Amino acid sequence: MLFQVLDYLSVLVFALTGALVASRAQLDVVGFAFFAALTGVGGGTLRDVLLDRNPVFWIADPWYLAVAAGAAVAVFFFAHRLESRYDALQWLDAAALAVAVSAGSGIAASLGEPWPIVVVMGMVTGCMGGLTRDVVANEVPMVLRQGELYVTCAFAGSCVTAALDVFPAALAALACAATVFGLRAGSLALGWRLPVYKAQPKRRE
Amino acid sequence: MLFQVLDYLSVLVFALTGALVASRAQLDVVGFAFFAALTGVGGGTLRDVLLDRNPVFWIADPWYLAVAAGAAVAVFFFAHRLESRYDALQWLDAAALAVAVSAGSGIAASLGEPWPIVVVMGMVTGCMGGLTRDVVANEVPMVLRQGELYVTCAFAGSCVTAALDVFPAALAALACAATVFGLRAGSLALGWRLPVYKAQPKRRE
Amino acid sequence: MLFQVLDYLSVLVFALTGALVASRAQLDVVGFAFFAALTGVGGGTLRDVLLDRNPVFWIADPWYLAVAAGAAVAVFFFAHRLESRYDALQWLDAAALAVAVSAGSGIAASLGEPWPIVVVMGMVTGCMGGLTRDVVANEVPMVLRQGELYVTCAFAGSCVTAALDVFPAALAALACAATVFGLRAGSLALGWRLPVYKAQPKRRE
């Protein structure tokens, strides 16, 4: 029940980001719905396929698709009211990441998976929908942004879920989502970052 | 039986488009076969994995791979005779889309899936092979083309299959393929389109 | 046992290539681990999903992830000592390809799959991890390099495994890996190649 709510929320918010990317590519409303659904259910689908959960969550309950389609229609008609679609995209993506990492790591933990799998499933569920969105839309994937925390936020949040395994699932989910969003917000607003690899590259391409 | 024929036809025609893309990238004959197989079986493979059909159709019957390889060899030796490889690519892709949407939505319907899943499986089977081809080959994905109907054709055709569920499968498949190809041809030849999202974008990148 | 060793080795070497790509994109250490894991387990994961092997190899044994993470950390701290990261990337990728094709085709053969599936699984396991790495990192995929043998090496090696099916698995694996690496090394160092498709392209884009 908790994870269903988290999955719904994550589909909704990721779908909004997918539709915003579609608006940057100036697609029609069906294109918006395509990107919304791809982004919304992408990460959770990979999680379910890897964990062999059958049927995949949105095949078991097609209302997830309705949520994604609804988000797409809303963005199609109202995105022009946003002052900066790009800012909206970044912050919505941060919120979606937080919820999806929560849902992904929580589901793996509830299945009794060992902690490395809990961590990876949080990262897969959180990152893969947005990654697919960016690769298909030919945008620079958010995971590749230099000097920003992104995968690191998903990793930290998933570790929180794994560490709080003995506590009630709702508490772990909340702490995980707060960790992910807090780190990502700190990175976007305050420039938090980890040291990056630097070299005098002798590239040959 | 009907769906096997449709799957064979869709693998063949998508494989031709994959090999044409390989010819644009000037690969060798094994590279042609790789792109032909990737494009030919990509969409149906994703459909089978999502629906948990075991084994995947081309593992159950490797002749699908032979069809894709044959298409690749044919394109490798005869593509230079085409007046415009790009036109050929577009129109073959339209035909492949029509057949693949038919096969994908029809198989989902024959498994008794509810209509939203029928619609999505038609779109997945139709669009994902070509999408993978374009992403791997670094071409602009056909789903992203502005002012063209593409995903919309797959969506409309899948809805036709879902709506004609009570009729014989062959009839539904024919109506679906005709809808997809008709819309796509209208878009390519006559410029049919849906209104697209327009804004005064304040992009920051 | 043999295939487990091959899988470990292929994860390790592919993870090194993934981390090198991360170093070219100047990511932080978690980004290195993300690319290392994506590249290291990508091909084998697709193989396991397609063959419906449950659970996927790195979910059954999360030490694979530790190997990938360790490779990422090592590259993060020591890559600047390399004279040419790009040369290292190419040759490590060649080694990883050899081992992964061996593992992929060998596992399919040991499951009693017919020879076309053995060949395809060798190619999938060998090529798909590196392909995902390159697509996500926005580099030109190695499968697309003109005038180089790449997919062809994987194809030849997989055929060797299929042909030596009656011999002990270790012998077939060795012959396969030697074939792949020998062809790829010949292509990188001596310029071996197959004739490529040439045309007077009339591109319209």
Side-chain angles (χ1 to χ4, degrees):
Chain A
M1 174 62 201
L2 168 70
F3 297 123
Q4 210 176 2
V5 171
L6 287 175
D7 259 350
Y8 264 106
L9 207 58
S10 121
V11 167
L12 172 66
V13 191
F14 262 133
L16 290 172
T17 72
L20 278 172
V21 166
S23 84
R24 286 159 64 86
Q26 305 200 352
L27 302 180
D28 59 34
V29 71
V30 184
F32 272 61
F34 178 80
F35 265 92
L38 189 71
T39 313
V41 305
T45 302
L46 186 54
R47 173 198 65 202
D48 285 1
V49 167
L50 290 176
L51 291 177
D52 204 40
R53 293 173 88 209
N54 271 315
V56 172
F57 72 107
W58 53 267
I59 294 182
D61 174 6
W63 280 102
Y64 286 105
L65 300 170
V67 167
V73 171
V75 171
F76 188 76
F77 286 111
F78 297 114
H80 65 276
R81 298 213 185 165
L82 291 169
E83 220 172 288
S84 163
R85 272 182 296 158
Y86 190 66
D87 277 359
L89 175 55
Q90 279 200 318
W91 286 96
L92 281 172
D93 187 87
L97 185 69
V99 182
V101 169
S102 237
S105 56
I107 286 175
S110 77
L111 292 173
E113 298 286 346
W115 69 263
I117 304 304
V118 170
V119 171
V120 169
M121 286 304 150
M123 296 172 74
V124 161
T125 313
C127 299
M128 285 307 183
L131 185 55
T132 309
R133 172 198 66 205
D134 294 342
V135 166
V136 172
N138 258 324
E139 309 240 351
V140 178
M142 295 216 174
V143 299
L144 269 185
R145 300 273 197 73
Q146 287 167 31
E148 280 186 20
L149 300 179
Y150 193 90
V151 185
T152 307
C153 309
F155 176 70
S158 301
C159 289
V160 167
T161 303
L164 300 185
D165 202 13
V166 293
F167 293 93
L171 182 73
L174 195 68
C176 165
T179 305
V180 176
F181 190 79
L183 286 174
R184 183 81 184 125
S187 175
L188 285 175
L190 308 172
W192 293 358
R193 50 157 83 195
L194 286 182
V196 300
Y197 178 85
K198 283 262 147 109
Q200 295 79 14
K202 304 177 193 160
R203 288 202 182 193
R204 288 202 332 238
E205 238 167 334
Chain B
M1 175 62 200
L2 167 70
F3 297 123
Q4 210 176 4
V5 171
L6 287 176
D7 259 350
Y8 264 107
L9 207 59
S10 122
V11 168
L12 172 66
V13 191
F14 262 133
L16 291 172
T17 71
L20 279 171
V21 166
S23 84
R24 285 159 63 87
Q26 305 200 353
L27 301 181
D28 60 35
V29 71
V30 184
F32 272 61
F34 178 80
F35 266 92
L38 190 71
T39 314
V41 306
T45 302
L46 186 54
R47 173 198 64 203
D48 285 1
V49 167
L50 290 176
L51 291 177
D52 204 40
R53 294 175 85 209
N54 271 314
V56 171
F57 72 106
W58 53 268
I59 295 183
D61 174 5
W63 280 103
Y64 286 104
L65 299 171
V67 167
V73 172
V75 171
F76 188 77
F77 286 112
F78 297 114
H80 63 276
R81 298 212 185 163
L82 290 170
E83 218 172 291
S84 162
R85 273 182 295 156
Y86 190 67
D87 277 359
L89 174 55
Q90 280 200 318
W91 285 96
L92 280 171
D93 187 85
L97 186 69
V99 182
V101 169
S102 238
S105 55
I107 285 176
S110 77
L111 292 174
E113 298 285 346
W115 70 263
I117 305 303
V118 170
V119 170
V120 169
M121 286 303 150
M123 296 173 74
V124 162
T125 313
C127 298
M128 284 306 184
L131 185 55
T132 309
R133 172 197 67 203
D134 294 342
V135 166
V136 172
N138 257 323
E139 309 239 350
V140 178
M142 295 214 175
V143 298
L144 269 186
R145 300 272 198 73
Q146 287 167 30
E148 281 187 20
L149 300 179
Y150 193 90
V151 185
T152 307
C153 309
F155 176 70
S158 301
C159 289
V160 167
T161 303
L164 300 185
D165 202 13
V166 293
F167 293 94
L171 182 73
L174 195 68
C176 165
T179 305
V180 176
F181 190 78
L183 286 174
R184 182 82 184 121
S187 174
L188 285 175
L190 309 172
W192 291 358
R193 51 156 82 194
L194 285 183
V196 300
Y197 179 84
K198 284 259 147 105
Q200 296 79 11
K202 304 178 193 160
R203 288 204 181 193
R204 289 203 331 237
E205 236 165 341
Chain C
M1 173 64 200
L2 167 70
F3 297 123
Q4 209 176 5
V5 171
L6 288 175
D7 259 351
Y8 264 107
L9 208 58
S10 120
V11 167
L12 172 66
V13 192
F14 262 133
L16 290 172
T17 72
L20 279 171
V21 166
S23 85
R24 287 159 63 87
Q26 306 200 355
L27 301 181
D28 60 34
V29 71
V30 184
F32 272 60
F34 178 80
F35 265 92
L38 189 72
T39 313
V41 306
T45 302
L46 186 54
R47 172 198 66 202
D48 285 1
V49 167
L50 290 176
L51 291 177
D52 203 41
R53 295 174 85 210
N54 270 313
V56 172
F57 72 106
W58 53 268
I59 295 183
D61 174 5
W63 280 101
Y64 286 105
L65 300 170
V67 167
V73 172
V75 171
F76 188 76
F77 286 112
F78 296 113
H80 63 277
R81 297 211 186 165
L82 292 170
E83 220 172 290
S84 164
R85 274 182 295 157
Y86 190 66
D87 277 0
L89 174 56
Q90 279 200 318
W91 286 95
L92 281 172
D93 187 86
L97 185 69
V99 181
V101 169
S102 238
S105 56
I107 285 175
S110 77
L111 292 174
E113 298 285 346
W115 69 263
I117 304 303
V118 170
V119 171
V120 169
M121 286 302 150
M123 297 172 74
V124 162
T125 313
C127 299
M128 284 307 182
L131 185 56
T132 309
R133 172 197 68 204
D134 295 342
V135 166
V136 171
N138 257 322
E139 308 241 350
V140 178
M142 296 213 173
V143 299
L144 269 184
R145 300 270 198 74
Q146 287 167 32
E148 281 187 21
L149 301 179
Y150 193 90
V151 185
T152 308
C153 310
F155 176 70
S158 301
C159 289
V160 167
T161 303
L164 300 185
D165 202 14
V166 293
F167 293 95
L171 182 74
L174 195 68
C176 164
T179 305
V180 176
F181 191 78
L183 286 174
R184 183 79 185 125
S187 175
L188 285 175
L190 308 172
W192 292 357
R193 51 155 85 192
L194 286 182
V196 300
Y197 178 85
K198 282 262 147 107
Q200 296 79 12
K202 304 178 193 159
R203 287 205 182 192
R204 289 204 329 238
E205 243 169 333

